[in-house]
Structures are given as C-alpha cells and as structure tokens.
Amino acid sequence: APSLVFDTTEQNSQPTDPSLAVGPNHVIAVFNTGYRVFDKSGNALTGNLSPDNIFSSGSCCDLTISYDHAVDRWVMSILYSSDGHVEVAVSQGPDPVNDGWYIYTTGFGTGSFPDYTKFSVWADTYMVTANIGSSNRVFAIERNEMLNGDPSQFVALPLPGLVTSGFYSPQAFHTTGASLAPDGTPAPIVYLQDDAWAGVSDDHLKIWNATIDWVTPSNSSMSSAQIIDASDNLTDFISVFDGGSFSNLDQPGGPDIDAMQATIMNQAQYRRFGTHNSVVFNFVVDVVPAAGQGANEKAGIRWYELRQTADGQPWTIFQEGTYTSPTGNKD
C-alpha cells in the first residue's frame, strides 16, 4: 500500500499534462499552466500558482519540472506560443519557494514550434526534446553556466533516421541519482519505432548519442542510431490507437481520453552503478488491438530496463514487460 497519498492540483486546463518532481524536502507538482509546492509530508506550501510568479508574462503552456539531484536544484520550463520560444528557470538553491530563480530564454528557430518540450539532466548539459517539425529535434543548454546564473550556450541537433507518425516525443536520458556521467559523455536519446508506421519494417527502439562540445559548440554532433529489435530479444508491440488520433480510451463519463501514443513517457530514468549503467523507461501499447475504436480498447504500459557495461558501450535489454491493470481499468 502507498505510504503517503495526497492531492496535488485540480484544474480544468486542457490538456492537463500533470507532472511532478521530488527532492529531499519538497515536491513540485505542475500542470499545463501552473504549479504548486508541497513538503514531503504532503502539506501544501503554496496555493496553485501561475507561471507568472517565475517567468515573464504571456506564456502559453507545457509547463515542465525536473529535479537536478547532483546539486539539489529545480529546473522548470514554459512555452510561449507567440514566437515559439521557451523560458527555462533554474532554482538558485534547494528551496523552490524562497531561494529565487535564474531565468533563461531559448529560441528554437523561426517557424519551429517546440510543442511538448521535455527536459533531462545529463552531465554538463540540460537536454531538451520536443514535438517539433524542423530538421533539428534535440536541443542542449549549458547546465554548469545556468547553475551559476551566467550566460549559457545553446546547441540544436537532428535525429538521423527518425520516423514519426504525427505527434511524437523522444526522451533524453535523465540522471535520477547524484552520480552524473563525466562531462562530455554523449547524451543518449531514445524513441520507439512501430512497424504500423510508414517507413518502419519492424518494431524496434532507436538510441542516438548527442555529443555536446561547450568549448566549440559547432563541433557538437549526433550519432546514427543504435537499433534494438527482435534480434536483441525485443518483443513486438502495437503502439497505435485509432490511427493516431487523440481520442482513444473511454471513461465512465465524458469524452474518450488520449492514450499518449508515440511517446516515450517523461522521464527516461538513468542511474550509474559500479558494474554498469541502467535506464528505465516506458510507453503506451494497445493490448486489445483487434477492438478498434470503442469501449473495448485497453492501453498497457510497455517498460524496459536497458543496461550498458561502461560509458560509450552499446545498450542491451536487461528486462522488459507489459503491465496491464488487473482491475480492467484503461490505464
């Protein structure tokens, strides 16, 4: 049974896009257009707050929150639909209520709307992915400078060989513990590829490595992808609901909800151990694929643990599985 249960936010913001990050003394819960801070016992330290409490006015949506364990700091971001820029806030200390924030503005390029931005902590870099239509799909911001409130550099890179099906969301590996990869270690980016999509012949995972050079940012590069497929003991999956639409799973009342297909869920959790590195992540699969659109559709959670023996080595499947609700819920 859970050791602690408490309500975080109740909002009509659509979509709600709820998320939270947990530190040693605080929990920050965000939704699409606001946030709230709690202590670790579930006591509210603030009411529901507007992003304007931290960021400049005029923001749109897609508020994110991450915890940087290695330095006991918080990283928040918000999207501005007027010109597609993103503002990033890094807390000046461990207390997100009282310690203040350093604010940065990042442009993703003219005409490139960075929908559904997701942040990850990696070595000397904050990595960013987005549902974006430009050739550059992954972005890096200079973490060490941001922690000091100093001017920070920015790098944009493509994902060679990426195949998408409408909305999509890859994930950069996010360092969960205090042990970071050494500065300069390539940052892995993971995405699923479904053979139900045009241009994909078999189900597989792709993992790219982003090498970021903050001394000479123009030397930064993205590798071709490592492919993990059936030859590596990957089990086939079906990740498509209703041809990629946003209305998939029925509720006791109201419209169908979005299964969030074609999305590596936030975040891909990375840890370093004495003998290996490990990452755990998941995405939604259709466990009743013959049902089609309607009340019999059911989503499951396909999860993976990948491991590598040392930095720079290939990733292999250590374990995988599909979770389906034993109560019959749609997950």
PDB file of all heavy atoms in Angstrom, residues 194-229:
ATOM      1  N   ASP A 194       7.462   1.940 -34.646  1.00  0.00           N
ATOM      2  CA  ASP A 194       6.409   0.923 -34.774  1.00  0.00           C
ATOM      3  C   ASP A 194       6.243   0.541 -36.242  1.00  0.00           C
ATOM      4  O   ASP A 194       6.146   1.418 -37.109  1.00  0.00           O
ATOM      5  CB  ASP A 194       5.101   1.504 -34.212  1.00  0.00           C
ATOM      6  CG  ASP A 194       4.018   0.455 -34.010  1.00  0.00           C
ATOM      7  OD1 ASP A 194       3.921  -0.475 -34.842  1.00  0.00           O
ATOM      8  OD2 ASP A 194       3.258   0.572 -33.035  1.00  0.00           O
ATOM      9  N   ASP A 195       6.175  -0.774 -36.526  1.00  0.00           N
ATOM     10  CA  ASP A 195       6.029  -1.193 -37.919  1.00  0.00           C
ATOM     11  C   ASP A 195       4.645  -0.883 -38.490  1.00  0.00           C
ATOM     12  O   ASP A 195       4.398  -1.108 -39.686  1.00  0.00           O
ATOM     13  CB  ASP A 195       6.380  -2.673 -38.100  1.00  0.00           C
ATOM     14  CG  ASP A 195       5.446  -3.622 -37.353  1.00  0.00           C
ATOM     15  OD1 ASP A 195       4.441  -3.161 -36.768  1.00  0.00           O
ATOM     16  OD2 ASP A 195       5.725  -4.836 -37.360  1.00  0.00           O
ATOM     17  N   ALA A 196       3.745  -0.340 -37.674  1.00  0.00           N
ATOM     18  CA  ALA A 196       2.475   0.170 -38.184  1.00  0.00           C
ATOM     19  C   ALA A 196       2.644   1.539 -38.842  1.00  0.00           C
ATOM     20  O   ALA A 196       1.725   2.031 -39.497  1.00  0.00           O
ATOM     21  CB  ALA A 196       1.440   0.267 -37.059  1.00  0.00           C
ATOM     22  N   TRP A 197       3.809   2.179 -38.647  1.00  0.00           N
ATOM     23  CA  TRP A 197       4.077   3.489 -39.243  1.00  0.00           C
ATOM     24  C   TRP A 197       4.699   3.302 -40.631  1.00  0.00           C
ATOM     25  O   TRP A 197       5.492   2.379 -40.850  1.00  0.00           O
ATOM     26  CB  TRP A 197       5.044   4.288 -38.381  1.00  0.00           C
ATOM     27  CG  TRP A 197       4.606   4.520 -36.978  1.00  0.00           C
ATOM     28  CD1 TRP A 197       3.373   4.292 -36.434  1.00  0.00           C
ATOM     29  CD2 TRP A 197       5.423   5.015 -35.896  1.00  0.00           C
ATOM     30  NE1 TRP A 197       3.355   4.614 -35.103  1.00  0.00           N
ATOM     31  CE2 TRP A 197       4.600   5.064 -34.743  1.00  0.00           C
ATOM     32  CE3 TRP A 197       6.742   5.421 -35.802  1.00  0.00           C
ATOM     33  CZ2 TRP A 197       5.075   5.512 -33.521  1.00  0.00           C
ATOM     34  CZ3 TRP A 197       7.221   5.864 -34.592  1.00  0.00           C
ATOM     35  CH2 TRP A 197       6.398   5.909 -33.454  1.00  0.00           C
ATOM     36  N   ALA A 198       4.387   4.192 -41.522  1.00  0.00           N
ATOM     37  CA  ALA A 198       5.003   4.180 -42.853  1.00  0.00           C
ATOM     38  C   ALA A 198       6.508   4.378 -42.720  1.00  0.00           C
ATOM     39  O   ALA A 198       6.970   5.262 -42.000  1.00  0.00           O
ATOM     40  CB  ALA A 198       4.405   5.285 -43.718  1.00  0.00           C
ATOM     41  N   GLY A 199       7.265   3.528 -43.398  1.00  0.00           N
ATOM     42  CA  GLY A 199       8.714   3.638 -43.373  1.00  0.00           C
ATOM     43  C   GLY A 199       9.394   2.803 -42.315  1.00  0.00           C
ATOM     44  O   GLY A 199      10.626   2.845 -42.189  1.00  0.00           O
ATOM     45  N   VAL A 200       8.622   2.054 -41.507  1.00  0.00           N
ATOM     46  CA  VAL A 200       9.202   1.186 -40.472  1.00  0.00           C
ATOM     47  C   VAL A 200       8.839  -0.256 -40.800  1.00  0.00           C
ATOM     48  O   VAL A 200       7.656  -0.590 -40.911  1.00  0.00           O
ATOM     49  CB  VAL A 200       8.694   1.563 -39.066  1.00  0.00           C
ATOM     50  CG1 VAL A 200       9.295   0.619 -38.011  1.00  0.00           C
ATOM     51  CG2 VAL A 200       9.020   3.014 -38.750  1.00  0.00           C
ATOM     52  N   SER A 201       9.842  -1.127 -40.955  1.00  0.00           N
ATOM     53  CA  SER A 201       9.591  -2.502 -41.376  1.00  0.00           C
ATOM     54  C   SER A 201       9.415  -3.456 -40.209  1.00  0.00           C
ATOM     55  O   SER A 201       8.801  -4.518 -40.369  1.00  0.00           O
ATOM     56  CB  SER A 201      10.733  -2.998 -42.279  1.00  0.00           C
ATOM     57  OG  SER A 201      11.969  -2.927 -41.592  1.00  0.00           O
ATOM     58  N   ASP A 202       9.973  -3.124 -39.048  1.00  0.00           N
ATOM     59  CA  ASP A 202       9.782  -3.977 -37.874  1.00  0.00           C
ATOM     60  C   ASP A 202       9.859  -3.118 -36.616  1.00  0.00           C
ATOM     61  O   ASP A 202      10.452  -2.038 -36.605  1.00  0.00           O
ATOM     62  CB  ASP A 202      10.829  -5.096 -37.818  1.00  0.00           C
ATOM     63  CG  ASP A 202      12.246  -4.566 -37.650  1.00  0.00           C
ATOM     64  OD1 ASP A 202      12.512  -3.438 -38.110  1.00  0.00           O
ATOM     65  OD2 ASP A 202      13.071  -5.268 -37.054  1.00  0.00           O
ATOM     66  N   ASP A 203       9.220  -3.580 -35.551  1.00  0.00           N
ATOM     67  CA  ASP A 203       9.229  -2.847 -34.290  1.00  0.00           C
ATOM     68  C   ASP A 203      10.642  -2.794 -33.728  1.00  0.00           C
ATOM     69  O   ASP A 203      11.343  -3.821 -33.689  1.00  0.00           O
ATOM     70  CB  ASP A 203       8.316  -3.542 -33.262  1.00  0.00           C
ATOM     71  CG  ASP A 203       6.859  -3.561 -33.687  1.00  0.00           C
ATOM     72  OD1 ASP A 203       6.468  -2.679 -34.479  1.00  0.00           O
ATOM     73  OD2 ASP A 203       6.122  -4.450 -33.236  1.00  0.00           O
ATOM     74  N   HIS A 204      11.047  -1.622 -33.259  1.00  0.00           N
ATOM     75  CA  HIS A 204      12.369  -1.517 -32.662  1.00  0.00           C
ATOM     76  C   HIS A 204      12.485  -0.243 -31.835  1.00  0.00           C
ATOM     77  O   HIS A 204      11.614   0.632 -31.881  1.00  0.00           O
ATOM     78  CB  HIS A 204      13.477  -1.562 -33.716  1.00  0.00           C
ATOM     79  CG  HIS A 204      13.450  -0.433 -34.706  1.00  0.00           C
ATOM     80  ND1 HIS A 204      12.664  -0.440 -35.841  1.00  0.00           N
ATOM     81  CD2 HIS A 204      14.128   0.752 -34.751  1.00  0.00           C
ATOM     82  CE1 HIS A 204      12.853   0.664 -36.536  1.00  0.00           C
ATOM     83  NE2 HIS A 204      13.735   1.416 -35.888  1.00  0.00           N
ATOM     84  N   LEU A 205      13.557  -0.149 -31.068  1.00  0.00           N
ATOM     85  CA  LEU A 205      13.952   1.065 -30.374  1.00  0.00           C
ATOM     86  C   LEU A 205      15.152   1.658 -31.099  1.00  0.00           C
ATOM     87  O   LEU A 205      15.981   0.922 -31.637  1.00  0.00           O
ATOM     88  CB  LEU A 205      14.341   0.773 -28.924  1.00  0.00           C
ATOM     89  CG  LEU A 205      13.292   0.121 -28.031  1.00  0.00           C
ATOM     90  CD1 LEU A 205      13.906  -0.228 -26.668  1.00  0.00           C
ATOM     91  CD2 LEU A 205      12.077   1.026 -27.846  1.00  0.00           C
ATOM     92  N   LYS A 206      15.232   2.974 -31.114  1.00  0.00           N
ATOM     93  CA  LYS A 206      16.420   3.660 -31.607  1.00  0.00           C
ATOM     94  C   LYS A 206      17.039   4.438 -30.450  1.00  0.00           C
ATOM     95  O   LYS A 206      16.328   5.080 -29.662  1.00  0.00           O
ATOM     96  CB  LYS A 206      16.080   4.621 -32.747  1.00  0.00           C
ATOM     97  CG  LYS A 206      15.952   3.986 -34.120  1.00  0.00           C
ATOM     98  CD  LYS A 206      15.853   5.056 -35.197  1.00  0.00           C
ATOM     99  CE  LYS A 206      16.021   4.455 -36.602  1.00  0.00           C
ATOM    100  NZ  LYS A 206      14.803   3.819 -37.072  1.00  0.00           N
ATOM    101  N   ILE A 207      18.380   4.398 -30.343  1.00  0.00           N
ATOM    102  CA  ILE A 207      19.112   5.190 -29.351  1.00  0.00           C
ATOM    103  C   ILE A 207      20.219   5.946 -30.076  1.00  0.00           C
ATOM    104  O   ILE A 207      21.118   5.348 -30.672  1.00  0.00           O
ATOM    105  CB  ILE A 207      19.703   4.315 -28.238  1.00  0.00           C
ATOM    106  CG1 ILE A 207      18.596   3.554 -27.508  1.00  0.00           C
ATOM    107  CG2 ILE A 207      20.489   5.181 -27.251  1.00  0.00           C
ATOM    108  CD1 ILE A 207      19.100   2.650 -26.409  1.00  0.00           C
ATOM    109  N   TRP A 208      20.109   7.272 -30.037  1.00  0.00           N
ATOM    110  CA  TRP A 208      21.148   8.149 -30.592  1.00  0.00           C
ATOM    111  C   TRP A 208      22.019   8.678 -29.454  1.00  0.00           C
ATOM    112  O   TRP A 208      21.602   8.693 -28.284  1.00  0.00           O
ATOM    113  CB  TRP A 208      20.520   9.349 -31.294  1.00  0.00           C
ATOM    114  CG  TRP A 208      19.662   9.047 -32.467  1.00  0.00           C
ATOM    115  CD1 TRP A 208      20.005   9.048 -33.779  1.00  0.00           C
ATOM    116  CD2 TRP A 208      18.239   8.753 -32.450  1.00  0.00           C
ATOM    117  NE1 TRP A 208      18.913   8.774 -34.584  1.00  0.00           N
ATOM    118  CE2 TRP A 208      17.825   8.589 -33.789  1.00  0.00           C
ATOM    119  CE3 TRP A 208      17.298   8.614 -31.422  1.00  0.00           C
ATOM    120  CZ2 TRP A 208      16.505   8.298 -34.132  1.00  0.00           C
ATOM    121  CZ3 TRP A 208      15.987   8.315 -31.757  1.00  0.00           C
ATOM    122  CH2 TRP A 208      15.601   8.159 -33.106  1.00  0.00           C
ATOM    123  N   ASN A 209      23.215   9.150 -29.799  1.00  0.00           N
ATOM    124  CA  ASN A 209      24.105   9.772 -28.820  1.00  0.00           C
ATOM    125  C   ASN A 209      24.445  11.193 -29.264  1.00  0.00           C
ATOM    126  O   ASN A 209      25.006  11.390 -30.353  1.00  0.00           O
ATOM    127  CB  ASN A 209      25.393   8.957 -28.657  1.00  0.00           C
ATOM    128  CG  ASN A 209      25.158   7.676 -27.894  1.00  0.00           C
ATOM    129  OD1 ASN A 209      24.620   7.693 -26.800  1.00  0.00           O
ATOM    130  ND2 ASN A 209      25.544   6.551 -28.483  1.00  0.00           N
ATOM    131  N   ALA A 210      24.085  12.159 -28.418  1.00  0.00           N
ATOM    132  CA  ALA A 210      24.396  13.562 -28.697  1.00  0.00           C
ATOM    133  C   ALA A 210      25.691  13.927 -27.985  1.00  0.00           C
ATOM    134  O   ALA A 210      25.776  13.859 -26.753  1.00  0.00           O
ATOM    135  CB  ALA A 210      23.264  14.459 -28.208  1.00  0.00           C
ATOM    136  N   THR A 211      26.716  14.274 -28.753  1.00  0.00           N
ATOM    137  CA  THR A 211      27.990  14.711 -28.195  1.00  0.00           C
ATOM    138  C   THR A 211      28.025  16.231 -28.218  1.00  0.00           C
ATOM    139  O   THR A 211      28.010  16.841 -29.292  1.00  0.00           O
ATOM    140  CB  THR A 211      29.171  14.137 -28.995  1.00  0.00           C
ATOM    141  OG1 THR A 211      29.106  12.707 -28.969  1.00  0.00           O
ATOM    142  CG2 THR A 211      30.497  14.592 -28.405  1.00  0.00           C
ATOM    143  N   ILE A 212      28.062  16.840 -27.043  1.00  0.00           N
ATOM    144  CA  ILE A 212      27.981  18.294 -26.925  1.00  0.00           C
ATOM    145  C   ILE A 212      29.348  18.837 -26.519  1.00  0.00           C
ATOM    146  O   ILE A 212      29.921  18.415 -25.510  1.00  0.00           O
ATOM    147  CB  ILE A 212      26.918  18.719 -25.891  1.00  0.00           C
ATOM    148  CG1 ILE A 212      25.582  18.014 -26.170  1.00  0.00           C
ATOM    149  CG2 ILE A 212      26.762  20.224 -25.885  1.00  0.00           C
ATOM    150  CD1 ILE A 212      24.990  18.310 -27.526  1.00  0.00           C
ATOM    151  N   ASP A 213      29.870  19.767 -27.311  1.00  0.00           N
ATOM    152  CA  ASP A 213      31.171  20.392 -27.069  1.00  0.00           C
ATOM    153  C   ASP A 213      30.921  21.848 -26.686  1.00  0.00           C
ATOM    154  O   ASP A 213      30.670  22.695 -27.552  1.00  0.00           O
ATOM    155  CB  ASP A 213      32.024  20.298 -28.334  1.00  0.00           C
ATOM    156  CG  ASP A 213      33.435  20.856 -28.145  1.00  0.00           C
ATOM    157  OD1 ASP A 213      33.668  21.580 -27.153  1.00  0.00           O
ATOM    158  OD2 ASP A 213      34.303  20.572 -28.999  1.00  0.00           O
ATOM    159  N   TRP A 214      31.002  22.164 -25.392  1.00  0.00           N
ATOM    160  CA  TRP A 214      30.719  23.525 -24.954  1.00  0.00           C
ATOM    161  C   TRP A 214      31.904  24.468 -25.187  1.00  0.00           C
ATOM    162  O   TRP A 214      31.729  25.678 -25.156  1.00  0.00           O
ATOM    163  CB  TRP A 214      30.304  23.548 -23.490  1.00  0.00           C
ATOM    164  CG  TRP A 214      28.952  22.925 -23.257  1.00  0.00           C
ATOM    165  CD1 TRP A 214      28.651  21.891 -22.415  1.00  0.00           C
ATOM    166  CD2 TRP A 214      27.718  23.304 -23.873  1.00  0.00           C
ATOM    167  NE1 TRP A 214      27.312  21.585 -22.476  1.00  0.00           N
ATOM    168  CE2 TRP A 214      26.712  22.452 -23.366  1.00  0.00           C
ATOM    169  CE3 TRP A 214      27.361  24.269 -24.816  1.00  0.00           C
ATOM    170  CZ2 TRP A 214      25.382  22.544 -23.762  1.00  0.00           C
ATOM    171  CZ3 TRP A 214      26.045  24.363 -25.218  1.00  0.00           C
ATOM    172  CH2 TRP A 214      25.067  23.511 -24.692  1.00  0.00           C
ATOM    173  N   VAL A 215      33.099  23.929 -25.434  1.00  0.00           N
ATOM    174  CA  VAL A 215      34.241  24.786 -25.782  1.00  0.00           C
ATOM    175  C   VAL A 215      34.052  25.312 -27.203  1.00  0.00           C
ATOM    176  O   VAL A 215      34.233  26.508 -27.477  1.00  0.00           O
ATOM    177  CB  VAL A 215      35.563  24.016 -25.650  1.00  0.00           C
ATOM    178  CG1 VAL A 215      36.726  24.874 -26.131  1.00  0.00           C
ATOM    179  CG2 VAL A 215      35.770  23.585 -24.200  1.00  0.00           C
ATOM    180  N   THR A 216      33.687  24.416 -28.120  1.00  0.00           N
ATOM    181  CA  THR A 216      33.404  24.795 -29.504  1.00  0.00           C
ATOM    182  C   THR A 216      32.059  24.173 -29.882  1.00  0.00           C
ATOM    183  O   THR A 216      32.003  23.055 -30.413  1.00  0.00           O
ATOM    184  CB  THR A 216      34.499  24.304 -30.455  1.00  0.00           C
ATOM    185  OG1 THR A 216      35.778  24.700 -29.960  1.00  0.00           O
ATOM    186  CG2 THR A 216      34.303  24.871 -31.860  1.00  0.00           C
ATOM    187  N   PRO A 217      30.946  24.853 -29.587  1.00  0.00           N
ATOM    188  CA  PRO A 217      29.620  24.249 -29.795  1.00  0.00           C
ATOM    189  C   PRO A 217      29.372  23.761 -31.210  1.00  0.00           C
ATOM    190  O   PRO A 217      28.620  22.794 -31.413  1.00  0.00           O
ATOM    191  CB  PRO A 217      28.662  25.376 -29.405  1.00  0.00           C
ATOM    192  CG  PRO A 217      29.429  26.196 -28.416  1.00  0.00           C
ATOM    193  CD  PRO A 217      30.847  26.162 -28.907  1.00  0.00           C
ATOM    194  N   SER A 218      30.004  24.393 -32.214  1.00  0.00           N
ATOM    195  CA  SER A 218      29.798  23.957 -33.601  1.00  0.00           C
ATOM    196  C   SER A 218      30.353  22.564 -33.863  1.00  0.00           C
ATOM    197  O   SER A 218      30.018  21.932 -34.872  1.00  0.00           O
ATOM    198  CB  SER A 218      30.434  24.961 -34.568  1.00  0.00           C
ATOM    199  OG  SER A 218      31.841  25.067 -34.327  1.00  0.00           O
ATOM    200  N   ASN A 219      31.204  22.056 -32.969  1.00  0.00           N
ATOM    201  CA  ASN A 219      31.731  20.697 -33.101  1.00  0.00           C
ATOM    202  C   ASN A 219      30.772  19.643 -32.545  1.00  0.00           C
ATOM    203  O   ASN A 219      31.056  18.443 -32.633  1.00  0.00           O
ATOM    204  CB  ASN A 219      33.076  20.568 -32.387  1.00  0.00           C
ATOM    205  CG  ASN A 219      34.190  21.296 -33.113  1.00  0.00           C
ATOM    206  OD1 ASN A 219      34.089  21.569 -34.308  1.00  0.00           O
ATOM    207  ND2 ASN A 219      35.258  21.623 -32.396  1.00  0.00           N
ATOM    208  N   SER A 220      29.675  20.068 -31.944  1.00  0.00           N
ATOM    209  CA  SER A 220      28.706  19.118 -31.391  1.00  0.00           C
ATOM    210  C   SER A 220      28.094  18.278 -32.515  1.00  0.00           C
ATOM    211  O   SER A 220      27.964  18.740 -33.655  1.00  0.00           O
ATOM    212  CB  SER A 220      27.606  19.866 -30.639  1.00  0.00           C
ATOM    213  OG  SER A 220      28.144  20.620 -29.571  1.00  0.00           O
ATOM    214  N   SER A 221      27.707  17.037 -32.191  1.00  0.00           N
ATOM    215  CA  SER A 221      27.220  16.137 -33.234  1.00  0.00           C
ATOM    216  C   SER A 221      26.240  15.125 -32.659  1.00  0.00           C
ATOM    217  O   SER A 221      26.223  14.863 -31.452  1.00  0.00           O
ATOM    218  CB  SER A 221      28.385  15.399 -33.896  1.00  0.00           C
ATOM    219  OG  SER A 221      29.056  14.579 -32.945  1.00  0.00           O
ATOM    220  N   MET A 222      25.423  14.561 -33.558  1.00  0.00           N
ATOM    221  CA  MET A 222      24.501  13.482 -33.207  1.00  0.00           C
ATOM    222  C   MET A 222      24.905  12.239 -33.984  1.00  0.00           C
ATOM    223  O   MET A 222      25.128  12.288 -35.200  1.00  0.00           O
ATOM    224  CB  MET A 222      23.063  13.869 -33.554  1.00  0.00           C
ATOM    225  CG  MET A 222      22.029  12.830 -33.157  1.00  0.00           C
ATOM    226  SD  MET A 222      21.780  12.714 -31.355  1.00  0.00           S
ATOM    227  CE  MET A 222      20.893  14.254 -31.057  1.00  0.00           C
ATOM    228  N   SER A 223      24.983  11.107 -33.308  1.00  0.00           N
ATOM    229  CA  SER A 223      25.372   9.853 -33.949  1.00  0.00           C
ATOM    230  C   SER A 223      24.215   9.290 -34.764  1.00  0.00           C
ATOM    231  O   SER A 223      23.059   9.709 -34.626  1.00  0.00           O
ATOM    232  CB  SER A 223      25.764   8.830 -32.882  1.00  0.00           C
ATOM    233  OG  SER A 223      24.600   8.366 -32.189  1.00  0.00           O
ATOM    234  N   SER A 224      24.523   8.316 -35.621  1.00  0.00           N
ATOM    235  CA  SER A 224      23.459   7.474 -36.159  1.00  0.00           C
ATOM    236  C   SER A 224      22.929   6.617 -35.012  1.00  0.00           C
ATOM    237  O   SER A 224      23.575   6.470 -33.966  1.00  0.00           O
ATOM    238  CB  SER A 224      23.995   6.600 -37.298  1.00  0.00           C
ATOM    239  OG  SER A 224      25.069   5.796 -36.828  1.00  0.00           O
ATOM    240  N   ALA A 225      21.746   6.051 -35.195  1.00  0.00           N
ATOM    241  CA  ALA A 225      21.074   5.377 -34.086  1.00  0.00           C
ATOM    242  C   ALA A 225      21.519   3.930 -33.936  1.00  0.00           C
ATOM    243  O   ALA A 225      21.698   3.212 -34.926  1.00  0.00           O
ATOM    244  CB  ALA A 225      19.569   5.426 -34.291  1.00  0.00           C
ATOM    245  N   GLN A 226      21.686   3.506 -32.687  1.00  0.00           N
ATOM    246  CA  GLN A 226      21.745   2.083 -32.382  1.00  0.00           C
ATOM    247  C   GLN A 226      20.321   1.543 -32.446  1.00  0.00           C
ATOM    248  O   GLN A 226      19.390   2.150 -31.907  1.00  0.00           O
ATOM    249  CB  GLN A 226      22.316   1.829 -30.982  1.00  0.00           C
ATOM    250  CG  GLN A 226      22.312   0.346 -30.607  1.00  0.00           C
ATOM    251  CD  GLN A 226      22.597   0.089 -29.127  1.00  0.00           C
ATOM    252  OE1 GLN A 226      23.008   0.985 -28.392  1.00  0.00           O
ATOM    253  NE2 GLN A 226      22.343  -1.133 -28.684  1.00  0.00           N
ATOM    254  N   ILE A 227      20.134   0.409 -33.116  1.00  0.00           N
ATOM    255  CA  ILE A 227      18.806  -0.188 -33.262  1.00  0.00           C
ATOM    256  C   ILE A 227      18.719  -1.429 -32.380  1.00  0.00           C
ATOM    257  O   ILE A 227      19.590  -2.305 -32.420  1.00  0.00           O
ATOM    258  CB  ILE A 227      18.530  -0.545 -34.727  1.00  0.00           C
ATOM    259  CG1 ILE A 227      18.435   0.743 -35.563  1.00  0.00           C
ATOM    260  CG2 ILE A 227      17.243  -1.360 -34.858  1.00  0.00           C
ATOM    261  CD1 ILE A 227      18.269   0.506 -37.039  1.00  0.00           C
ATOM    262  N   ILE A 228      17.686  -1.494 -31.568  1.00  0.00           N
ATOM    263  CA  ILE A 228      17.407  -2.655 -30.716  1.00  0.00           C
ATOM    264  C   ILE A 228      16.102  -3.251 -31.201  1.00  0.00           C
ATOM    265  O   ILE A 228      15.042  -2.613 -31.113  1.00  0.00           O
ATOM    266  CB  ILE A 228      17.316  -2.252 -29.232  1.00  0.00           C
ATOM    267  CG1 ILE A 228      18.641  -1.645 -28.763  1.00  0.00           C
ATOM    268  CG2 ILE A 228      16.934  -3.451 -28.371  1.00  0.00           C
ATOM    269  CD1 ILE A 228      18.611  -1.141 -27.324  1.00  0.00           C
ATOM    270  N   ASP A 229      16.153  -4.494 -31.736  1.00  0.00           N
ATOM    271  CA  ASP A 229      14.972  -5.100 -32.349  1.00  0.00           C
ATOM    272  C   ASP A 229      14.842  -6.549 -31.933  1.00  0.00           C
ATOM    273  O   ASP A 229      15.407  -6.969 -30.904  1.00  0.00           O
ATOM    274  CB  ASP A 229      15.023  -4.945 -33.867  1.00  0.00           C
ATOM    275  CG  ASP A 229      16.286  -5.554 -34.490  1.00  0.00           C
ATOM    276  OD1 ASP A 229      16.961  -6.363 -33.819  1.00  0.00           O
ATOM    277  OD2 ASP A 229      16.600  -5.221 -35.650  1.00  0.00           O
TER     278      ASP A 229
END
